[in-house]
Amino acid sequence: MSLFTRRRSGPIAWPDLLTMLQKGNFAATVEALRDLDESQRAELGHKLVALRGDAGTWFNAQQATAYAVAAVGCVSTAAKAVTVIARRGWPWSAIQPQPVLRAAADRGVPWLGELATRLAGKLPRDGGSLPPWRLVADLVVATGVPVPTGERFVDGWLLSLQLAERDKVVLDKLRGSPFTDVLLPHAFERDGIAATIGGHDPDTGKWITWPGILFAVAALVEEGRFPRADILDRCLDALLAGRPKAVLHAFVSFHDKLAPTEAEVAERTTIYLKLLSDAMGSVATMAQKALKNAEAAGGLELESLLDASRTVLTRSEKGLVKAQLIWLEKLAKRHPARVAEIAEVVAVAADHPDVQARDRSAAFLAKHAVPGATDVQVVTPEPDLLTGPVGAADMPEPIATPDELAEEIAALDQTDWQTVPFERVLAAVVRMHAADPVGLRAAIAPVLQRAHNRIGDGWWGSEGHWRTVAMFTAVLNKAAGLPFVLDDAARALKGTPADLRLGNSYAKLQGVLTIRLAEIVMRLSTDPVPSLVATPTLVNGLLDPAALVERLARAEREGWQPWKHDLRQALYRLPADADPDTLRQARTLTSDAGRTLVEWLETGGAGRPDVRVVRVHRQRAERGRYLEWLPESRFYATSSPDRSGLDPYWLTELAAPPVVNGDSDGLGLAALWPAVLPSQREIVAACLLPLIAGAADLDSGRGNVQLLPLLADLAGPVGPATLTAVAYGLAATQADERIAALDALMALGGTDEFDGGELGAQLARMAGTKLIVLSRVVTQLEEAGRIAPALTWRIAAGALGGLLPAETSRLAPGPAITPPASAAPLTRAAVRAAARDLAAAIGSAGASGSTGATAASGAAVRGGGGGADGKAHVTPRGLPDLLTLASTTAAASGSRGEVPGLADLAARKGSTRLVVEAKRLQRTLTTT
């Protein structure tokens, strides 16, 4: 039954029409307008155009459709119709085309085609959503106006094709679309043409994706609908354009689907050579294969190839460079008269960072007796370019005025959480509320109201995240005289930081933040103080003991007591050791707060807790629970408090969970945690470890390695928790996070306590049990080797000492580090003892003797290696690259010695890369 069967008699009054529109009764609107004359329509149209709605009002699909029907049926021009439609939900509400077309047909609208063209220019960017495009598309088809070729209409068309779920559906839609012939040439300029569709591979059963639209285009080319040469040219133009990686990968697959012939490639050698020289790795590899086929068929000039090869041999992609060298070697055999020209090009690779490329280049030059060619490189030992510890900067000047505070609060809502702005805002709120509460309210209330009384809450968060953010917002709202919830603050103050961790034993540091904020909420008006005493003096959160003494002395002079939790936070921020002069000054204080400070300084604060690292396994799957997204096992840190120290919050007591979990409590606020306990690097690292590990061992890559550089800024030992965090960071899924881990490694590597062999041993445990991908780590260590070859050698040696014995035994390492029930977890001291014999002999450049890997290997084996689980050994991906890195850095630093398992591996017969690289390292370490 049609929607448009009811008929009205006589004109409709504006209030009645407006009611229909507000209710979204578009069918009744069509019928109400059907028999109106133009004067009646014009009167309604004038009121419709003049009608304005409140900003931010949402219109559902029925309302938006009704207003569009009224616009077409009443207003006098396409421009006015666009104004009405855009004010009433379009393009975000799905307008149904059929009622609009029916209303236009009833009236005989002459400008419907112009309306389609104007709406096409106002479509959402990047495709937006499909319903608005469908409205415009139906109007274009109905009116027969020229098909819009603007990028927004093209993106919408591509989106309509992308939503198909199977190849056949995409192909059928592309065949049947009235826009294909016009829009396809323009579509190659848009990234949407590379959109992927997915399905299960019938051979493997795995879910795979492929560029469905491009594959459908290839099918149409094969059918003869589009000229093959034109489509191939457009594909190459897209590859030259520097599009996003995912788009380029799709076009590479499209190129392979087109499978250009040698003749087609020969006609386009200039383009392919450009791609080979300058395009990203996968595109250059594609061009290399195509050019090889063309050259074999005689379609490529040798001069052009040699000219491009000079650039290719300087690229960083090892596989691409190796393939180019092999190609040049074959060319030398086919063109013996031009060996000298080819050798001149091959010599470019003699300085390549990849040792394999250098070896192949040297071998070629030596084989063809090129003067000056040699396979022996004399390397002058290079010192590490590490700057050592860099002191943290001083905190910026305090916020001076309420207006400046308002600006800082507004900025907090637009950026990630950071210690410096957070602490400056808290300090200013407390100080200004005590000095000028009226002026403070007048300045910050408008800012909070614009933010809907929620600052920095983002779009998601755990329960702990929300609780802390809500408490921070309550502080601001109370200072601004706005409504806030007092009960949450009162409940928080009744507990301890551990009570607020919400199931995550590592979120105690966030509990300190929450309690401190709750105290401000409760005391700001009832017990105001002129200032906070816990505001750090350095940007890493440390508080100068002399500054705290002065603050407490001021409190005594002015007759006020610091708040309890604010004072505790101040104590936790003190360095582990205070100078004698500061202690003497502290002993002159007479208040309770002063005596507490003296006790803290005399005791040494929280002392040095015993931090250990243990391996925890995933819970077995239960019915109704999906746990496969979690790693099979993960390293966690535990900590036992120093009983001689003071720790009122028990922050230094940490326990690992019984099974691996996905807790990310406080993920959004974790950047504030280091400043809570800045003199206890190991405790902070233990708390952050689960968040950092997720970046490496979760398929989603959900983690936050950006926190690692914050650890480098803290004080305290560089122990097993910190080293494990660095190991996970170096193996992170995302490249930008691995770079952050490299930055942290370079900063920590310059400290006296950093043990590269120990980090390498931990990497061996993790890679040997498949907790991390070793090849990701090696990529970052290669960068480290250019800056600090000696440090990188110690790391590589420690890792090889744990991995190579397994290559000899051919058994997979057992459950590394996890001890039997009767054994104690591995401690920093135990690792040092196990690594002492070898690590002690790793010296500066040119040193000889032990490498530090022997004992580190022993520690790795004692931690559970040696095939305890009986599984067949699988060589970690990236182990040959690690051997290469060890060779390069040992040579660069002048290191010599032995690595456990290396001699046995190097003595094997065969030419696998693993054996070749083992032989290379053995030569490097035994050459005097």
mmCIF file of all heavy atoms in Angstrom, residues 553-595:
data_model
loop_
_atom_site.group_PDB
_atom_site.id
_atom_site.type_symbol
_atom_site.label_atom_id
_atom_site.label_comp_id
_atom_site.label_asym_id
_atom_site.label_seq_id
_atom_site.Cartn_x
_atom_site.Cartn_y
_atom_site.Cartn_z
ATOM 1 N N ALA A 553 58.032 25.749 57.560
ATOM 2 C CA ALA A 553 58.408 26.860 58.454
ATOM 3 C C ALA A 553 57.437 28.030 58.279
ATOM 4 O O ALA A 553 57.048 28.684 59.261
ATOM 5 C CB ALA A 553 59.841 27.310 58.163
ATOM 6 N N ARG A 554 57.034 28.280 57.040
ATOM 7 C CA ARG A 554 56.042 29.340 56.798
ATOM 8 C C ARG A 554 54.722 29.014 57.482
ATOM 9 O O ARG A 554 54.073 29.880 58.085
ATOM 10 C CB ARG A 554 55.832 29.511 55.299
ATOM 11 C CG ARG A 554 54.736 30.529 54.964
ATOM 12 C CD ARG A 554 54.276 30.410 53.521
ATOM 13 N NE ARG A 554 53.114 31.235 53.267
ATOM 14 C CZ ARG A 554 52.379 31.180 52.158
ATOM 15 N NH1 ARG A 554 52.687 30.315 51.203
ATOM 16 N NH2 ARG A 554 51.327 31.972 52.014
ATOM 17 N N ALA A 555 54.313 27.733 57.390
ATOM 18 C CA ALA A 555 53.063 27.329 58.037
ATOM 19 C C ALA A 555 53.136 27.573 59.546
ATOM 20 O O ALA A 555 52.153 28.010 60.166
ATOM 21 C CB ALA A 555 52.774 25.858 57.732
ATOM 22 N N GLU A 556 54.302 27.280 60.147
ATOM 23 C CA GLU A 556 54.447 27.517 61.583
ATOM 24 C C GLU A 556 54.371 29.012 61.894
ATOM 25 O O GLU A 556 53.728 29.421 62.872
ATOM 26 C CB GLU A 556 55.775 26.937 62.071
ATOM 27 C CG GLU A 556 55.820 25.414 62.074
ATOM 28 C CD GLU A 556 57.109 24.881 62.666
ATOM 29 O OE1 GLU A 556 57.939 25.709 63.124
ATOM 30 O OE2 GLU A 556 57.298 23.648 62.675
ATOM 31 N N ARG A 557 55.011 29.821 61.086
ATOM 32 C CA ARG A 557 54.994 31.271 61.344
ATOM 33 C C ARG A 557 53.585 31.838 61.230
ATOM 34 O O ARG A 557 53.187 32.712 61.992
ATOM 35 C CB ARG A 557 55.915 31.985 60.349
ATOM 36 C CG ARG A 557 57.395 31.730 60.555
ATOM 37 C CD ARG A 557 58.240 32.715 59.745
ATOM 38 N NE ARG A 557 57.930 32.677 58.335
ATOM 39 C CZ ARG A 557 58.552 31.910 57.438
ATOM 40 N NH1 ARG A 557 59.522 31.091 57.847
ATOM 41 N NH2 ARG A 557 58.233 31.957 56.159
ATOM 42 N N GLU A 558 52.812 31.321 60.252
ATOM 43 C CA GLU A 558 51.482 31.871 59.991
ATOM 44 C C GLU A 558 50.391 31.141 60.769
ATOM 45 O O GLU A 558 49.215 31.529 60.697
ATOM 46 C CB GLU A 558 51.185 31.814 58.493
ATOM 47 C CG GLU A 558 52.161 32.668 57.669
ATOM 48 C CD GLU A 558 51.915 32.541 56.176
ATOM 49 O OE1 GLU A 558 51.012 31.762 55.783
ATOM 50 O OE2 GLU A 558 52.616 33.221 55.382
ATOM 51 N N GLY A 559 50.738 30.086 61.460
ATOM 52 C CA GLY A 559 49.789 29.429 62.348
ATOM 53 C C GLY A 559 48.790 28.508 61.664
ATOM 54 O O GLY A 559 47.653 28.409 62.102
ATOM 55 N N TRP A 560 49.180 27.810 60.632
ATOM 56 C CA TRP A 560 48.275 26.833 59.999
ATOM 57 C C TRP A 560 49.006 25.503 59.782
ATOM 58 O O TRP A 560 50.228 25.450 59.750
ATOM 59 C CB TRP A 560 47.714 27.349 58.675
ATOM 60 C CG TRP A 560 48.740 27.799 57.641
ATOM 61 C CD1 TRP A 560 49.301 29.028 57.536
ATOM 62 C CD2 TRP A 560 49.311 27.002 56.597
ATOM 63 N NE1 TRP A 560 50.196 29.071 56.486
ATOM 64 C CE2 TRP A 560 50.213 27.840 55.882
ATOM 65 C CE3 TRP A 560 49.155 25.690 56.185
ATOM 66 C CZ2 TRP A 560 50.941 27.389 54.782
ATOM 67 C CZ3 TRP A 560 49.887 25.230 55.089
ATOM 68 C CH2 TRP A 560 50.768 26.085 54.407
ATOM 69 N N GLN A 561 48.214 24.443 59.704
ATOM 70 C CA GLN A 561 48.763 23.103 59.527
ATOM 71 C C GLN A 561 48.502 22.612 58.101
ATOM 72 O O GLN A 561 47.390 22.764 57.581
ATOM 73 C CB GLN A 561 48.106 22.127 60.514
ATOM 74 C CG GLN A 561 48.616 22.220 61.934
ATOM 75 C CD GLN A 561 50.013 21.635 62.079
ATOM 76 O OE1 GLN A 561 50.442 20.800 61.297
ATOM 77 N NE2 GLN A 561 50.741 22.112 63.093
ATOM 78 N N PRO A 562 49.499 22.019 57.440
ATOM 79 C CA PRO A 562 49.250 21.437 56.115
ATOM 80 C C PRO A 562 48.222 20.316 56.213
ATOM 81 O O PRO A 562 48.091 19.655 57.250
ATOM 82 C CB PRO A 562 50.617 20.888 55.693
ATOM 83 C CG PRO A 562 51.602 21.600 56.557
ATOM 84 C CD PRO A 562 50.900 21.869 57.853
ATOM 85 N N TRP A 563 47.505 20.118 55.135
ATOM 86 C CA TRP A 563 46.550 19.009 55.096
ATOM 87 C C TRP A 563 47.299 17.680 55.149
ATOM 88 O O TRP A 563 48.406 17.533 54.631
ATOM 89 C CB TRP A 563 45.716 19.080 53.829
ATOM 90 C CG TRP A 563 44.792 20.272 53.794
ATOM 91 C CD1 TRP A 563 44.266 20.940 54.852
ATOM 92 C CD2 TRP A 563 44.299 20.918 52.620
ATOM 93 N NE1 TRP A 563 43.460 21.954 54.428
ATOM 94 C CE2 TRP A 563 43.456 21.973 53.053
ATOM 95 C CE3 TRP A 563 44.466 20.735 51.257
ATOM 96 C CZ2 TRP A 563 42.797 22.815 52.177
ATOM 97 C CZ3 TRP A 563 43.803 21.566 50.365
ATOM 98 C CH2 TRP A 563 42.985 22.595 50.823
ATOM 99 N N LYS A 564 46.664 16.679 55.745
ATOM 100 C CA LYS A 564 47.303 15.388 56.009
ATOM 101 C C LYS A 564 47.809 14.726 54.727
ATOM 102 O O LYS A 564 48.978 14.330 54.618
ATOM 103 C CB LYS A 564 46.298 14.482 56.732
ATOM 104 C CG LYS A 564 46.732 13.033 56.864
ATOM 105 C CD LYS A 564 45.622 12.201 57.487
ATOM 106 C CE LYS A 564 45.952 10.721 57.482
ATOM 107 N NZ LYS A 564 44.845 9.917 58.057
ATOM 108 N N HIS A 565 46.920 14.570 53.747
ATOM 109 C CA HIS A 565 47.302 13.826 52.543
ATOM 110 C C HIS A 565 48.202 14.660 51.635
ATOM 111 O O HIS A 565 49.027 14.095 50.901
ATOM 112 C CB HIS A 565 46.054 13.359 51.799
ATOM 113 C CG HIS A 565 45.229 12.391 52.575
ATOM 114 N ND1 HIS A 565 45.611 11.089 52.789
ATOM 115 C CD2 HIS A 565 44.031 12.545 53.221
ATOM 116 C CE1 HIS A 565 44.701 10.474 53.518
ATOM 117 N NE2 HIS A 565 43.730 11.330 53.797
ATOM 118 N N ASP A 566 48.067 15.959 51.689
ATOM 119 C CA ASP A 566 48.980 16.815 50.938
ATOM 120 C C ASP A 566 50.392 16.677 51.491
ATOM 121 O O ASP A 566 51.377 16.605 50.741
ATOM 122 C CB ASP A 566 48.507 18.264 51.018
ATOM 123 C CG ASP A 566 49.341 19.196 50.167
ATOM 124 O OD1 ASP A 566 49.672 18.821 49.020
ATOM 125 O OD2 ASP A 566 49.664 20.307 50.635
ATOM 126 N N LEU A 567 50.528 16.604 52.804
ATOM 127 C CA LEU A 567 51.838 16.428 53.419
ATOM 128 C C LEU A 567 52.423 15.063 53.057
ATOM 129 O O LEU A 567 53.621 14.948 52.754
ATOM 130 C CB LEU A 567 51.732 16.580 54.940
ATOM 131 C CG LEU A 567 53.034 16.364 55.720
ATOM 132 C CD1 LEU A 567 54.105 17.354 55.290
ATOM 133 C CD2 LEU A 567 52.775 16.457 57.221
ATOM 134 N N ARG A 568 51.591 14.036 53.089
ATOM 135 C CA ARG A 568 52.101 12.706 52.726
ATOM 136 C C ARG A 568 52.600 12.679 51.277
ATOM 137 O O ARG A 568 53.638 12.088 50.977
ATOM 138 C CB ARG A 568 51.008 11.662 52.927
ATOM 139 C CG ARG A 568 50.760 11.320 54.384
ATOM 140 C CD ARG A 568 49.761 10.191 54.519
ATOM 141 N NE ARG A 568 49.600 9.781 55.919
ATOM 142 C CZ ARG A 568 48.786 8.818 56.322
ATOM 143 N NH1 ARG A 568 48.039 8.159 55.419
ATOM 144 N NH2 ARG A 568 48.705 8.503 57.598
ATOM 145 N N GLN A 569 51.857 13.305 50.385
ATOM 146 C CA GLN A 569 52.317 13.366 49.004
ATOM 147 C C GLN A 569 53.654 14.117 48.912
ATOM 148 O O GLN A 569 54.550 13.730 48.164
ATOM 149 C CB GLN A 569 51.275 14.050 48.118
ATOM 150 C CG GLN A 569 51.727 14.321 46.683
ATOM 151 C CD GLN A 569 52.046 13.061 45.898
ATOM 152 O OE1 GLN A 569 51.242 12.572 45.142
ATOM 153 N NE2 GLN A 569 53.247 12.526 46.068
ATOM 154 N N ALA A 570 53.804 15.166 49.686
ATOM 155 C CA ALA A 570 55.067 15.902 49.703
ATOM 156 C C ALA A 570 56.219 15.001 50.143
ATOM 157 O O ALA A 570 57.316 15.036 49.567
ATOM 158 C CB ALA A 570 54.951 17.116 50.626
ATOM 159 N N LEU A 571 55.995 14.181 51.164
ATOM 160 C CA LEU A 571 57.050 13.288 51.644
ATOM 161 C C LEU A 571 57.433 12.262 50.584
ATOM 162 O O LEU A 571 58.619 11.967 50.396
ATOM 163 C CB LEU A 571 56.587 12.580 52.917
ATOM 164 C CG LEU A 571 56.291 13.482 54.123
ATOM 165 C CD1 LEU A 571 55.761 12.661 55.285
ATOM 166 C CD2 LEU A 571 57.534 14.263 54.544
ATOM 167 N N TYR A 572 56.445 11.709 49.909
ATOM 168 C CA TYR A 572 56.739 10.722 48.870
ATOM 169 C C TYR A 572 57.522 11.343 47.706
ATOM 170 O O TYR A 572 58.159 10.619 46.948
ATOM 171 C CB TYR A 572 55.440 10.115 48.337
ATOM 172 C CG TYR A 572 54.898 8.975 49.167
ATOM 173 C CD1 TYR A 572 53.654 9.063 49.775
ATOM 174 C CD2 TYR A 572 55.624 7.809 49.338
ATOM 175 C CE1 TYR A 572 53.140 8.025 50.534
ATOM 176 C CE2 TYR A 572 55.122 6.754 50.092
ATOM 177 C CZ TYR A 572 53.874 6.869 50.695
ATOM 178 O OH TYR A 572 53.382 5.823 51.435
ATOM 179 N N ARG A 573 57.465 12.644 47.574
ATOM 180 C CA ARG A 573 58.162 13.306 46.467
ATOM 181 C C ARG A 573 59.591 13.713 46.809
ATOM 182 O O ARG A 573 60.304 14.217 45.955
ATOM 183 C CB ARG A 573 57.374 14.548 46.027
ATOM 184 C CG ARG A 573 56.156 14.185 45.188
ATOM 185 C CD ARG A 573 55.361 15.369 44.755
ATOM 186 N NE ARG A 573 54.419 14.961 43.722
ATOM 187 C CZ ARG A 573 53.339 15.649 43.345
ATOM 188 N NH1 ARG A 573 53.072 16.815 43.934
ATOM 189 N NH2 ARG A 573 52.556 15.204 42.391
ATOM 190 N N LEU A 574 60.010 13.488 48.021
ATOM 191 C CA LEU A 574 61.365 13.844 48.408
ATOM 192 C C LEU A 574 62.363 12.839 47.849
ATOM 193 O O LEU A 574 62.051 11.648 47.710
ATOM 194 C CB LEU A 574 61.486 13.887 49.933
ATOM 195 C CG LEU A 574 60.653 14.950 50.650
ATOM 196 C CD1 LEU A 574 60.777 14.776 52.157
ATOM 197 C CD2 LEU A 574 61.069 16.351 50.226
ATOM 198 N N PRO A 575 63.569 13.274 47.522
ATOM 199 C CA PRO A 575 64.598 12.324 47.088
ATOM 200 C C PRO A 575 64.972 11.381 48.226
ATOM 201 O O PRO A 575 64.708 11.645 49.400
ATOM 202 C CB PRO A 575 65.776 13.223 46.684
ATOM 203 C CG PRO A 575 65.538 14.511 47.396
ATOM 204 C CD PRO A 575 64.058 14.671 47.511
ATOM 205 N N ALA A 576 65.609 10.270 47.871
ATOM 206 C CA ALA A 576 65.918 9.252 48.880
ATOM 207 C C ALA A 576 66.921 9.753 49.911
ATOM 208 O O ALA A 576 66.887 9.343 51.069
ATOM 209 C CB ALA A 576 66.455 8.000 48.189
ATOM 210 N N ASP A 577 67.813 10.622 49.487
ATOM 211 C CA ASP A 577 68.855 11.101 50.400
ATOM 212 C C ASP A 577 68.770 12.623 50.509
ATOM 213 O O ASP A 577 68.686 13.320 49.494
ATOM 214 C CB ASP A 577 70.248 10.699 49.896
ATOM 215 C CG ASP A 577 70.382 9.189 49.770
ATOM 216 O OD1 ASP A 577 69.988 8.485 50.718
ATOM 217 O OD2 ASP A 577 70.869 8.726 48.721
ATOM 218 N N ALA A 578 68.806 13.115 51.732
ATOM 219 C CA ALA A 578 68.804 14.563 51.976
ATOM 220 C C ALA A 578 70.162 14.986 52.520
ATOM 221 O O ALA A 578 70.817 14.250 53.274
ATOM 222 C CB ALA A 578 67.708 14.933 52.967
ATOM 223 N N ASP A 579 70.593 16.166 52.137
ATOM 224 C CA ASP A 579 71.893 16.628 52.611
ATOM 225 C C ASP A 579 71.801 17.004 54.096
ATOM 226 O O ASP A 579 70.728 17.351 54.608
ATOM 227 C CB ASP A 579 72.373 17.815 51.777
ATOM 228 C CG ASP A 579 71.478 19.021 51.943
ATOM 229 O OD1 ASP A 579 71.709 19.806 52.872
ATOM 230 O OD2 ASP A 579 70.516 19.148 51.132
ATOM 231 N N PRO A 580 72.916 16.941 54.816
ATOM 232 C CA PRO A 580 72.912 17.207 56.268
ATOM 233 C C PRO A 580 72.400 18.598 56.637
ATOM 234 O O PRO A 580 71.733 18.763 57.666
ATOM 235 C CB PRO A 580 74.383 17.035 56.660
ATOM 236 C CG PRO A 580 74.951 16.120 55.607
ATOM 237 C CD PRO A 580 74.236 16.483 54.349
ATOM 238 N N ASP A 581 72.696 19.612 55.819
ATOM 239 C CA ASP A 581 72.242 20.962 56.142
ATOM 240 C C ASP A 581 70.720 21.033 56.160
ATOM 241 O O ASP A 581 70.128 21.673 57.049
ATOM 242 C CB ASP A 581 72.800 21.961 55.124
ATOM 243 C CG ASP A 581 74.296 22.169 55.295
ATOM 244 O OD1 ASP A 581 74.809 21.852 56.388
ATOM 245 O OD2 ASP A 581 74.943 22.624 54.330
ATOM 246 N N THR A 582 70.087 20.383 55.175
ATOM 247 C CA THR A 582 68.625 20.391 55.137
ATOM 248 C C THR A 582 68.057 19.671 56.347
ATOM 249 O O THR A 582 67.060 20.119 56.946
ATOM 250 C CB THR A 582 68.124 19.721 53.841
ATOM 251 O OG1 THR A 582 68.658 20.410 52.712
ATOM 252 C CG2 THR A 582 66.602 19.734 53.780
ATOM 253 N N LEU A 583 68.674 18.554 56.741
ATOM 254 C CA LEU A 583 68.193 17.826 57.919
ATOM 255 C C LEU A 583 68.328 18.678 59.177
ATOM 256 O O LEU A 583 67.425 18.688 60.034
ATOM 257 C CB LEU A 583 68.968 16.520 58.063
ATOM 258 C CG LEU A 583 68.532 15.598 59.200
ATOM 259 C CD1 LEU A 583 67.053 15.260 59.114
ATOM 260 C CD2 LEU A 583 69.369 14.317 59.194
ATOM 261 N N ARG A 584 69.425 19.430 59.305
ATOM 262 C CA ARG A 584 69.591 20.300 60.471
ATOM 263 C C ARG A 584 68.507 21.387 60.493
ATOM 264 O O ARG A 584 67.939 21.693 61.547
ATOM 265 C CB ARG A 584 70.991 20.939 60.449
ATOM 266 C CG ARG A 584 72.102 20.016 60.914
ATOM 267 C CD ARG A 584 73.373 20.810 61.197
ATOM 268 N NE ARG A 584 73.895 21.424 59.985
ATOM 269 C CZ ARG A 584 74.756 20.835 59.154
ATOM 270 N NH1 ARG A 584 75.187 19.614 59.425
ATOM 271 N NH2 ARG A 584 75.190 21.469 58.084
ATOM 272 N N GLN A 585 68.193 21.942 59.344
ATOM 273 C CA GLN A 585 67.144 22.957 59.283
ATOM 274 C C GLN A 585 65.785 22.352 59.632
ATOM 275 O O GLN A 585 64.970 22.991 60.310
ATOM 276 C CB GLN A 585 67.102 23.583 57.888
ATOM 277 C CG GLN A 585 68.342 24.404 57.536
ATOM 278 C CD GLN A 585 68.324 24.880 56.097
ATOM 279 O OE1 GLN A 585 67.348 24.682 55.387
ATOM 280 N NE2 GLN A 585 69.417 25.513 55.670
ATOM 281 N N ALA A 586 65.547 21.122 59.175
ATOM 282 C CA ALA A 586 64.265 20.481 59.467
ATOM 283 C C ALA A 586 64.098 20.243 60.963
ATOM 284 O O ALA A 586 62.974 20.322 61.499
ATOM 285 C CB ALA A 586 64.164 19.166 58.698
ATOM 286 N N ARG A 587 65.189 19.969 61.658
ATOM 287 C CA ARG A 587 65.103 19.683 63.098
ATOM 288 C C ARG A 587 64.751 20.920 63.910
ATOM 289 O O ARG A 587 64.405 20.807 65.085
ATOM 290 C CB ARG A 587 66.415 19.094 63.577
ATOM 291 C CG ARG A 587 66.622 17.642 63.129
ATOM 292 C CD ARG A 587 68.000 17.133 63.453
ATOM 293 N NE ARG A 587 68.150 15.722 63.082
ATOM 294 C CZ ARG A 587 69.307 15.145 62.788
ATOM 295 N NH1 ARG A 587 70.440 15.866 62.827
ATOM 296 N NH2 ARG A 587 69.347 13.875 62.458
ATOM 297 N N THR A 588 64.811 22.098 63.286
ATOM 298 C CA THR A 588 64.408 23.315 64.000
ATOM 299 C C THR A 588 62.896 23.501 63.985
ATOM 300 O O THR A 588 62.372 24.370 64.694
ATOM 301 C CB THR A 588 65.071 24.545 63.361
ATOM 302 O OG1 THR A 588 64.591 24.708 62.018
ATOM 303 C CG2 THR A 588 66.588 24.400 63.348
ATOM 304 N N LEU A 589 62.163 22.719 63.168
ATOM 305 C CA LEU A 589 60.707 22.841 63.091
ATOM 306 C C LEU A 589 60.093 22.244 64.351
ATOM 307 O O LEU A 589 60.567 21.230 64.884
ATOM 308 C CB LEU A 589 60.178 22.128 61.848
ATOM 309 C CG LEU A 589 60.698 22.655 60.505
ATOM 310 C CD1 LEU A 589 60.236 21.760 59.361
ATOM 311 C CD2 LEU A 589 60.232 24.085 60.275
ATOM 312 N N THR A 590 59.002 22.838 64.804
ATOM 313 C CA THR A 590 58.368 22.394 66.054
ATOM 314 C C THR A 590 56.971 21.822 65.864
ATOM 315 O O THR A 590 56.412 21.250 66.800
ATOM 316 C CB THR A 590 58.275 23.584 67.029
ATOM 317 O OG1 THR A 590 57.500 24.633 66.420
ATOM 318 C CG2 THR A 590 59.672 24.094 67.379
ATOM 319 N N SER A 591 56.398 21.967 64.696
ATOM 320 C CA SER A 591 55.034 21.498 64.460
ATOM 321 C C SER A 591 55.024 19.984 64.242
ATOM 322 O O SER A 591 56.065 19.345 64.054
ATOM 323 C CB SER A 591 54.441 22.196 63.228
ATOM 324 O OG SER A 591 55.188 21.848 62.075
ATOM 325 N N ASP A 592 53.813 19.408 64.283
ATOM 326 C CA ASP A 592 53.679 17.978 63.999
ATOM 327 C C ASP A 592 54.169 17.656 62.582
ATOM 328 O O ASP A 592 54.816 16.617 62.362
ATOM 329 C CB ASP A 592 52.214 17.558 64.137
ATOM 330 C CG ASP A 592 51.739 17.604 65.578
ATOM 331 O OD1 ASP A 592 52.602 17.603 66.487
ATOM 332 O OD2 ASP A 592 50.507 17.656 65.800
ATOM 333 N N ALA A 593 53.842 18.530 61.635
ATOM 334 C CA ALA A 593 54.290 18.313 60.262
ATOM 335 C C ALA A 593 55.812 18.337 60.196
ATOM 336 O O ALA A 593 56.434 17.536 59.481
ATOM 337 C CB ALA A 593 53.694 19.375 59.335
ATOM 338 N N GLY A 594 56.433 19.234 60.935
ATOM 339 C CA GLY A 594 57.889 19.310 60.946
ATOM 340 C C GLY A 594 58.524 18.066 61.515
ATOM 341 O O GLY A 594 59.519 17.557 60.993
ATOM 342 N N ARG A 595 57.978 17.558 62.625
ATOM 343 C CA ARG A 595 58.528 16.340 63.222
ATOM 344 C C ARG A 595 58.351 15.139 62.280
ATOM 345 O O ARG A 595 59.207 14.263 62.214
ATOM 346 C CB ARG A 595 57.861 16.085 64.574
ATOM 347 C CG ARG A 595 58.323 17.050 65.663
ATOM 348 C CD ARG A 595 57.809 16.606 67.027
ATOM 349 N NE ARG A 595 56.363 16.782 67.142
ATOM 350 C CZ ARG A 595 55.776 17.911 67.548
ATOM 351 N NH1 ARG A 595 56.531 18.958 67.884
ATOM 352 N NH2 ARG A 595 54.463 18.009 67.647
#
